[in-house]
Amino acid sequence: MGVDGIAAFCKDLNVEPEDPVMLVVAYLLNADQNLEIKKNNWISAWASLNCSKIADIKKTLPTIREEYLGPKSPNFKLVYQFTFQFARAENQKSLSLDTAVEYWRLLLSDRFKYLDKWIQFVTTQHRKAISKDTWNLLLDFAETDLDAYDTEGAWPVLIDEFVDYLRGGA
Amino acid sequence: MAGARPQNSATSKQNYDLDQIWGDLKLGIDEVFRRSPMSKMRYMELYTYVYNYCTSVSQNSNGNQRTSGAKNKKSSQPSGAQFVGLELYKKLKDFLKNHQSALLEKGANLMDEPVLKFYTKQWEEYQFSAKVLNGICSYLNRHWVKRECEEGTKGIYEIYQLALVTWRDNLFKNLNKQVTSAVLKFIERERCGEPINTRLVSSVKNCYVELGLNEEDPTAKGQNLAVYKESFENQFLKDTERFYSRESEEFLRQNPVTEYMKKAESRLKEEERKVLEYLHETTLASLLKTCEKVLIEKHLERFDEEFQSMLILDKDEDLGRMYQLVSRIPDGLTKLRDLLETHISTVGLTAIEKLGDDAQNDPKLYVNTILEVHRKFNSLVIRAFNRDGGFVASLDKACGKFINNNNVTKLAQNSNKSPELLAKYCDALLKKSSKNPEDAELEETLNQIMTVFKYIEDKDVFQKFYSKMLAKRLVQSMSASDDAEASMITKLKQACGFEYTSKLQRMFQDVGLSKDLIEAFRKHLEKSESALNVDFSIQVLSSGSWPFQQGCTFSLPSVLEKCVARFTTFYSTMHSGRKLNWLYHMSKGELVTHCFKSTYNITASTFQMSILLAYNESVSWTVGKLAVFTEIKEEILIQVLQILLKSKLLKIADASDDAMVNDDAIKSDTVIELFKMYKNKKLKVNINIPMKGEQRQENDCTHKHIEEDRKMLIQAAIVRIMKTRKQLPHQQLLAEVMAMESSRFKPKVAVIKKCIDILIEKEYLQRQDGQKDTYNYLA
């Protein structure tokens, strides 16, 4: 199933393609970057969710939404981390900045209160692609208290620089 | 007098009645105690009384006790013998008691010095007499008393000891308080400066010591100090404490600490002497402790305060005294050590701050300032603090602090400034100059540099700069003395290990080899037919050890090209398979001018030469054309031209002869011509001066290299550590990396973190799932 199929699929489900839930779907289906989905994956994924018809899928969507995107859900991490390799182009180790920003807006708007500042920082000061480590740990960072942040701790350097930036430093 | 004359016959079986002999015996003992002179005869008489008495009863009974009679306890003792010995014993005891009571009456109301005099006199006489008595009764001692003791009867002693015991129980018990307080008063008087009769005190001491006998085992030899301690020492110590507390408080209130220390010192000496003179030696330890506690420990806070101001005022002698005093108190020195450390850092930092901006560019000033501070406090530690380990450590820590982080490094915003300046200073010393110091002086200065080097944290920076400057010196033959160079390298090797200096050694070797090579090349030229018209010498350097970079594009003037070609062929015949890279930007040559009024000998860099030789072809060139001709890149060409213009060999066309050269006045189409009116006072001119821009570039380059090298080292260290540990929490990893690299430099946490990030990217490390603070090694 290709991109168009996905688009049609979205329409059937009455869901915008930009809806984060589609990311969850992609995750569940183990879609790769180009939204190519293998038939087997398709079948097995939906089967595990007990859906055999589009209508079923529609019904389970809210549950999926809750399970993966809900504010307290532990599975959000998996989806978030999956998004990194989903979103990056082929043959590249890091995620291009613009794509990263887009996906951040998509996923982290409710969770990361410094999101705007972060995006500003990253687009003006850093201006380079985002490494996997930084991407993954940004979620951890979003969940930690800024006052408890330790610059000598195991954070990636970019996040250290961001904290400096927030605190009025560099 | 009227006593019956005893019949001194051993065989007589007379029953000596105690009462009979007692009369005369008692008189005799009286004489003894009155210290009247006694003849030997009389003594023997008395002795015989006792003897007869003891042996008489034994005749009554089984009769076999007359023999030596030592350890005969098996057979049942006839109760008669015991009884008799006991009778005599009791009588003796009573006698002594009475004697003592009489004495007591006489002395009961005495106090102070009189009581002391009385007591000591009586005691000495008594002691003597008791000994005599003991001698008289020695038969009794040897037999009856001994037997009794062996049987375990309590309260029976040898006569001498009996005398002591009775003295103790009768006289001593009642008088000792007065005697002791008299003694203590005496001692106090002495402390206040009055001379006292120390003999009185020491006799009292002797008495007390004598009295301390072991009641359980009267035959035990050796001193028992129980009485001494109880009746005297404890009080003495209390008294001492009280006295000195009071004295020290008052004194401190009215006098400065420095004076107080002198007083304390002398007091302690006094007390020591006292013990030697008239107290028991075991008292020394506790006495000193008490004094120290009161004189020193109580006032430690004041001392600490004073220490600070003494440091500031450089009062070395007082500092030494304070050290001596405070070192007696355990842990008393900790505070002082910390104070010293802080003080030294402050002094060091202020000294460097005072230098201001000059220090950045004057290595000699900077290094000398540091050395001054170090020298001053080093001698202080040696002299006043007795080279105490703790204080040496404080000095080291403080020097480490102010040498690596001071005003200069702050101004340069780079902690690498310190080692850089140190290396520059070395360079100045080792370079040939008009004022080279003597060998011995040079050696001394180099040693001092090593002292500072010890404290530098970033030793790798020093190495980089030093090797760069050494390379320049070697290539330009500017070393003042090869011995000095070698000695410096040996010192560095001793301080940092072989690896640190291996490249430097190699450089030396290369210079030596090059000399041989030139010789060989010259010989080769002589043998061949075509000679080079140019005096040509080279230096071959092994690229791994020398910090030089590749030169830029350049085309050699044709004259020189021949030389280069010849040498290249020659070298490849000697060492085939080696490639030669010519560093023209480091080379230089000499030109002889024939176009000016006088013939000048100009030393110029190769670039300058090629430009000047171009003027052989034409007197006027545009910059652009020059660039093409010499194949030098325009930016570099312009810089070289500026120097040539400054040297006045060339000038900008249409500009006045004295026009100042503007940096940006030169463009591609500027026409530059030879200045035919060139004049110089000297005939030998050196225009081969380094370009300013070049220098700054080099410096920055070096710093960048250092940073990169460090990154590599850190990454290598991280990989090494993780390979062994497989898994490690973040903080521990940081700690281990720091420890590993500390001998070369002090890694910054930010840099280590960057390296960790890089390694995660490269997939050497990964974070532990769920524990983002722990790393795993990925094989």
Side-chain angles (χ1 to χ4, degrees):
Chain A
M1 184 190 262
V3 186
D4 301 324
I6 297 287
F9 181 60
C10 290
K11 245 213 202 133
D12 287 342
L13 291 174
N14 247 340
V15 165
E16 297 295 315
E18 285 94 37
D19 192 328
V21 105
M22 287 318 294
L23 271 175
V24 183
V25 171
Y27 165 70
L28 291 170
L29 295 170
N30 222 345
D32 64 18
Q33 291 97 308
N34 295 325
L35 296 174
E36 297 285 330
I37 305 179
K38 301 213 173 64
K39 186 168 180 194
N40 289 339
N41 285 350
W42 179 269
I43 298 178
S44 56
W46 292 124
S48 69
L49 288 170
N50 282 332
C51 305
S52 42
K53 291 187 295 229
I54 296 262
D56 288 338
I57 299 180
K58 251 200 198 157
K59 267 191 254 164
T60 37
L61 265 186
T63 1
I64 297 179
R65 209 190 280 273
E66 191 54 38
E67 219 178 287
Y68 287 89
L69 294 177
K72 302 279 187 192
S73 78
N75 293 325
F76 178 73
K77 192 172 192 161
L78 300 168
V79 179
Y80 175 76
Q81 290 188 349
F82 167 78
T83 313
F84 182 80
Q85 69 217 49
F86 177 75
R88 72 172 169 200
E90 275 189 37
N91 300 331
Q92 283 215 353
K93 247 189 165 174
S94 308
L95 186 57
S96 81
L97 192 54
D98 301 322
T99 330
V101 171
E102 265 184 52
Y103 277 98
W104 276 327
R105 281 207 206 278
L106 193 58
L107 288 170
L108 293 179
S109 305
D110 317 326
R111 290 166 183 265
F112 187 20
K113 58 182 169 181
Y114 296 110
L115 183 62
D116 289 323
K117 280 239 164 83
W118 168 258
I119 293 181
Q120 186 185 37
F121 167 70
V122 143
T123 39
T124 46
Q125 308 258 11
H126 183 57
R127 281 186 262 134
K128 285 185 280 201
I130 302 292
S131 71
K132 183 170 186 180
D133 195 42
T134 313
W135 172 273
N136 285 348
L137 282 174
L138 190 63
L139 182 63
D140 280 80
F141 178 67
E143 289 166 4
T144 34
D145 187 14
L146 192 57
D147 294 326
Y149 185 84
D150 175 17
T151 28
E152 298 204 353
W155 297 100
V157 176
L158 189 58
I159 299 188
D160 283 341
E161 290 172 3
F162 177 60
V163 172
D164 266 345
Y165 176 82
L166 277 185
R167 288 180 179 164
Chain B
M1 328 169 281
R5 276 240 148 246
Q7 273 142 40
N8 222 344
S9 72
T11 53
S12 134
K13 289 210 174 201
Q14 283 185 338
N15 194 350
Y16 283 98
D17 188 8
L18 180 58
D19 293 320
Q20 279 181 302
I21 23 175
W22 180 246
D24 195 25
L25 183 54
K26 179 158 182 284
L27 283 174
I29 299 179
D30 245 347
E31 284 164 43
V32 170
F33 274 88
R34 257 182 292 129
R35 303 283 293 260
S36 26
M38 183 177 279
S39 65
K40 287 200 176 89
M41 277 282 289
R42 184 76 176 122
Y43 183 84
M44 277 316 293
E45 255 190 335
L46 299 175
Y47 182 88
T48 318
Y49 278 140
V50 177
Y51 175 82
N52 286 342
Y53 179 74
C54 288
T55 52
S56 67
V57 184
S58 62
Q59 280 179 353
N60 257 347
S61 51
N62 297 348
N64 53 358
Q65 266 103 340
R66 285 212 353 224
T67 52
S68 61
K71 298 159 177 75
N72 206 344
K73 38 182 175 181
K74 277 187 258 170
S75 41
S76 50
Q77 295 299 317
S79 47
Q82 275 184 318
F83 220 66
V84 171
L86 186 59
E87 286 276 333
L88 179 57
Y89 188 82
K90 269 207 204 129
K91 284 257 190 309
L92 287 170
K93 200 164 172 185
D94 286 334
F95 174 84
L96 289 170
K97 208 164 171 184
N98 292 335
H99 176 79
Q100 283 151 11
S101 311
L103 281 182
L104 183 58
E105 269 181 39
K106 271 198 257 166
N109 295 324
L110 297 174
M111 296 285 279
D112 296 340
E113 185 156 0
V115 82
L116 275 183
K117 285 209 177 107
F118 172 78
Y119 186 85
T120 43
K121 181 158 167 286
Q122 295 307 323
W123 163 255
E124 276 161 17
E125 288 180 4
Y126 182 82
Q127 221 185 1
F128 183 79
S129 311
K131 284 210 179 94
V132 175
L133 181 63
N134 195 41
I136 294 177
C137 302
S138 54
Y139 193 81
L140 186 65
N141 282 344
R142 282 208 303 270
H143 302 293
W144 182 79
V145 176
K146 202 155 187 182
R147 239 184 300 140
E148 290 294 317
C149 291
E150 278 160 9
E151 288 181 11
T153 326
K154 299 256 186 255
I156 307 292
Y157 311 101
E158 289 195 11
I159 300 305
Y160 179 68
Q161 281 174 324
L162 173 66
L164 293 184
V165 172
T166 45
W167 173 275
R168 189 188 66 199
D169 293 339
N170 297 327
L171 206 63
F172 173 78
K173 218 183 247 175
N174 297 318
L175 274 186
N176 78 334
K177 286 215 181 48
Q178 288 141 281
V179 171
T180 308
S181 66
V183 170
L184 289 175
K185 280 217 189 93
F186 252 47
I187 295 182
E188 190 163 330
R189 273 166 53 188
E190 190 192 42
R191 285 187 180 142
C192 294
E194 280 181 50
I196 56 166
N197 188 346
T198 56
R199 206 187 62 76
L200 293 178
V201 183
S202 50
S203 349
V204 171
K205 169 200 83 170
N206 288 334
C207 167
Y208 286 13
V209 171
E210 281 284 340
L211 289 179
L213 47 71
N214 190 340
E215 299 218 2
E216 295 303 306
D217 184 5
T219 54
K221 297 286 178 223
Q223 296 173 331
N224 178 330
L225 299 169
V227 172
Y228 172 72
K229 276 205 171 46
E230 222 184 276
S231 314
F232 174 71
E233 198 187 53
N234 292 345
Q235 264 189 286
F236 168 65
L237 291 175
K238 277 210 202 86
D239 226 43
T240 313
E241 199 176 320
R242 198 183 34 87
F243 179 80
Y244 279 126
S245 300
R246 207 172 22 97
E247 186 186 73
S248 59
E249 288 280 346
E250 260 201 55
F251 195 86
L252 269 181
R253 226 177 291 150
Q254 299 174 354
N255 292 295
V257 176
T258 44
E259 290 301 316
Y260 174 74
M261 288 203 295
K262 287 192 193 131
K263 185 138 174 99
E265 214 179 29
S266 67
R267 276 305 195 198
L268 285 170
K269 278 208 193 83
E270 252 183 60
E271 295 298 317
E272 251 177 84
R273 192 192 44 85
K274 259 212 265 289
V275 173
L276 284 176
E277 261 197 47
Y278 54 74
L279 297 176
H280 197 263
E281 60 203 6
T282 53
T283 315
L284 182 59
S286 18
L287 174 61
L288 281 183
K289 224 177 169 180
T290 319
C291 289
E292 283 160 15
K293 191 168 74 151
V294 176
L295 287 175
I296 304 174
E297 201 173 333
K298 271 225 187 100
H299 304 287
L300 270 185
E301 266 184 52
R302 281 291 300 268
F303 276 29
D304 290 342
E305 283 170 19
E306 197 63 21
F307 187 73
Q308 181 75 4
S309 49
M310 287 200 286
L311 277 179
I312 296 181
L313 298 168
D314 287 332
K315 296 233 185 96
D316 289 352
E317 202 193 304
D318 292 327
L319 287 170
R321 195 171 297 125
M322 182 176 274
Y323 172 76
Q324 291 294 341
L325 288 176
V326 179
S327 58
R328 292 167 184 252
I329 310 282
D331 292 336
L333 292 170
T334 342
K335 190 85 204 300
L336 295 186
R337 285 193 200 120
D338 292 335
L339 283 172
L340 182 68
E341 191 183 320
T342 336
H343 178 77
I344 297 180
S345 333
T346 326
V347 170
L349 289 170
T350 1
I352 294 185
E353 224 177 296
K354 257 199 251 171
L355 297 178
D357 287 339
D358 296 334
Q360 276 199 65
N361 299 321
D362 189 349
K364 184 162 177 188
L365 186 59
Y366 180 73
V367 175
N368 275 337
T369 318
I370 294 180
L371 280 172
E372 236 185 79
V373 175
H374 179 262
R375 212 174 297 142
K376 174 165 144 189
F377 287 106
N378 198 25
S379 73
L380 180 68
V381 170
I382 293 177
R383 272 183 306 114
F385 300 135
N386 211 18
R387 234 184 254 266
D388 177 289
F391 283 91
V392 174
S394 302
L395 173 66
D396 286 341
K397 264 193 262 170
C399 285
K401 265 195 258 172
F402 84 79
I403 288 179
N404 286 300
N405 269 315
N406 51 44
N407 199 37
V408 166
T409 62
K410 245 191 283 169
L411 284 176
Q413 286 182 349
N414 186 353
S415 63
N416 295 343
K417 204 66 185 164
S418 237
E420 190 186 320
L421 285 173
L422 192 63
K424 283 207 181 122
Y425 184 50
C426 284
D427 186 48
L429 283 177
L430 294 168
K431 217 191 292 210
K432 233 185 264 182
S433 77
S434 48
K435 35 189 168 104
N436 274 129
E438 294 284 331
D439 278 344
E441 212 191 300
L442 184 59
E443 183 72 18
E444 179 58 38
T445 325
L446 289 180
N447 277 333
Q448 286 170 348
I449 292 185
M450 289 312 288
T451 329
V452 180
F453 178 74
K454 220 183 358 143
Y455 294 114
I456 299 274
E457 275 168 7
D458 295 328
K459 294 187 170 57
D460 60 343
V461 177
F462 179 83
Q463 184 204 31
K464 263 259 154 33
F465 276 101
Y466 186 80
S467 70
K468 198 169 59 122
M469 293 182 207
L470 175 66
K472 280 228 189 86
R473 285 202 296 276
L474 290 176
V475 161
Q476 297 168 358
S477 312
M478 294 229 300
S479 311
S481 137
D482 282 344
D483 286 336
E485 299 273 2
S487 128
M488 187 66 190
I489 293 188
T490 324
K491 291 197 230 284
L492 285 173
K493 204 190 330 197
Q494 278 169 346
C496 287
F498 172 71
E499 198 206 309
Y500 195 79
T501 50
S502 60
K503 287 205 185 130
L504 305 175
Q505 297 272 21
R506 206 57 243 229
M507 288 199 249
F508 261 97
Q509 279 177 325
D510 285 346
V511 172
L513 286 175
S514 299
K515 286 208 184 95
D516 296 337
L517 210 52
I518 294 182
E519 275 306 307
F521 184 60
R522 292 240 167 86
K523 285 213 189 86
H524 166 91
L525 283 179
E526 280 167 25
K527 274 197 262 157
S528 76
E529 300 101 34
S530 57
L532 294 172
N533 294 335
V534 176
D535 192 5
F536 179 69
S537 72
I538 39 81
Q539 273 178 323
V540 177
L541 320 170
S542 40
S543 59
S545 313
W546 293 74
F548 293 142
Q549 276 105 4
Q550 285 282 49
C552 39
T553 52
F554 180 62
S555 123
L556 214 46
S558 46
V559 192
L560 298 172
E561 257 199 46
K562 263 190 255 154
C563 310
V564 167
R566 285 295 289 280
F567 184 78
T568 318
T569 359
F570 168 74
Y571 192 75
S572 42
T573 53
M574 291 197 67
H575 304 276
S576 65
R578 287 196 191 174
K579 179 160 172 268
L580 287 176
N581 254 324
W582 293 86
L583 301 173
Y584 297 124
H585 60 287
M586 308 242 36
S587 319
K588 62 178 197 264
E590 267 185 36
L591 294 172
V592 178
T593 63
H594 300 289
C595 53
F596 304 122
K597 275 219 185 101
S598 345
T599 316
Y600 292 102
N601 215 326
I602 303 185
T603 314
S605 74
T606 315
F607 285 6
Q608 290 167 336
M609 280 202 315
S610 81
I611 295 177
L612 288 175
L613 286 173
Y615 282 85
N616 274 348
E617 316 261 330
S618 145
V619 169
S620 158
W621 287 84
T622 59
V623 173
K625 285 222 188 92
L626 261 182
V628 169
F629 183 76
T630 59
E631 285 185 43
I632 303 176
K633 255 194 280 195
E634 239 185 71
E635 304 131 5
I636 306 184
L637 180 66
I638 292 181
Q639 286 177 14
V640 179
L641 282 172
Q642 274 163 3
I643 300 186
L644 287 172
L645 286 166
K646 277 215 182 87
S647 74
K648 299 277 182 24
L649 281 168
L650 303 176
K651 75 174 178 74
I652 302 182
D654 305 329
S656 67
D657 288 349
D658 298 324
M660 296 313 289
V661 179
N662 236 346
D663 276 357
D664 38 337
I666 306 179
K667 290 193 260 299
S668 303
D669 47 3
T670 325
V671 179
I672 307 199
E673 36 178 58
L674 192 61
F675 183 49
K676 296 211 182 93
M677 300 287 128
Y678 176 73
K679 272 193 300 241
N680 199 322
K681 283 182 229 143
K682 298 189 269 203
L683 287 180
K684 273 196 141 225
V685 185
N686 181 5
I687 54 174
N688 186 13
I689 44 177
M691 301 183 275
K692 254 190 256 148
E694 199 183 84
Q695 264 195 320
R696 236 180 300 132
Q697 243 182 15
E698 265 186 60
N699 249 7
D700 293 334
C701 230
T702 319
H703 281 293
K704 242 191 268 171
H705 277 184
I706 294 174
E707 285 305 313
E708 281 173 22
D709 282 348
R710 282 183 179 177
K711 270 215 196 107
M712 284 288 122
L713 283 171
I714 293 179
Q715 286 182 40
I718 295 179
V719 171
R720 230 179 297 140
I721 294 172
M722 290 306 294
K723 202 166 179 178
T724 355
R725 305 303 205 96
K726 299 280 185 247
Q727 195 187 69
L728 205 56
H730 177 86
Q731 290 297 343
Q732 261 186 282
L733 182 59
L734 285 181
E736 295 217 6
V737 171
M738 292 223 185
M740 211 180 243
E741 295 302 314
S742 61
S743 59
R744 301 261 307 179
F745 64 98
K746 196 160 143 195
K748 294 204 201 58
V749 177
V751 179
I752 301 182
K753 285 188 73 175
K754 261 211 190 84
C755 294
I756 294 180
D757 268 0
I758 295 176
L759 289 174
I760 292 181
E761 273 289 309
K762 290 198 200 155
E763 298 194 11
Y764 278 89
L765 297 179
Q766 74 178 174
R767 290 180 196 266
Q768 174 90 313
D769 273 335
Q771 273 181 299
K772 65 163 186 38
D773 282 340
T774 313
Y775 300 106
N776 282 336
Y777 179 67
L778 290 173

